Amino acid sequence: MEIAVIWVPADIEPSERAVANCLSHLRRHSYRFAGIMRASWETVEQPMIDGEVDVVVIADFAHLPPDRSPRIELASSPGVDTDEDRTVPGAQLG
């Protein structure tokens, strides 16, 4: 069973709806819930790097900082101009 944390940026208030959406996602995927993090992305990133967390669940793609790392990009997909790079909006880390 994969270990997951919920990340809600500290500036997202109220946070209840975001947390509820994330908890529903965890249940649907049978992830082992390890807690809610309300910290900087760098703080959330470290447990992934250390292998302590398999999945970070977020309520809205817009919550992710655009300059985050790790980052996954899709070079091309059907119906997309192959000269245009696209960041994968639903990519999972881990």
Side-chain angles (χ1 to χ4, degrees), residues 16-28:
E16 290 81 8
R17 182 173 177 192
V19 170
N21 289 342
C22 291
L23 286 170
S24 292
H25 182 83
L26 265 66
R27 283 191 294 274
R28 284 192 307 274

Side-chain angles (χ1 to χ4, degrees), residues 10-92:
D11 63 335
I12 303 301
E13 288 295 342
S15 64
E16 290 81 8
R17 182 173 177 192
V19 170
N21 289 342
C22 291
L23 286 170
S24 292
H25 182 83
L26 265 66
R27 283 191 294 274
R28 284 192 307 274
H29 293 278
S30 300
Y31 293 144
R32 194 169 102 215
F33 179 50
I36 299 170
M37 298 185 77
R38 305 267 315 200
S40 69
W41 176 252
E42 293 76 22
T43 301
V44 174
E45 183 180 35
Q46 194 58 52
M48 289 189 297
I49 292 168
D50 294 342
E52 299 166 1
V53 171
D54 300 306
V55 180
V56 174
V57 178
I58 60 172
D60 190 318
F61 187 67
H63 293 175
L64 289 174
D67 59 344
R68 73 192 174 281
S69 183
R71 186 170 162 179
I72 299 170
E73 294 186 0
L74 178 62
S76 67
S77 62
V80 175
D81 181 0
T82 56
D83 291 332
E84 182 179 345
D85 287 340
R86 297 270 186 184
T87 299
V88 179
Q92 287 186 337

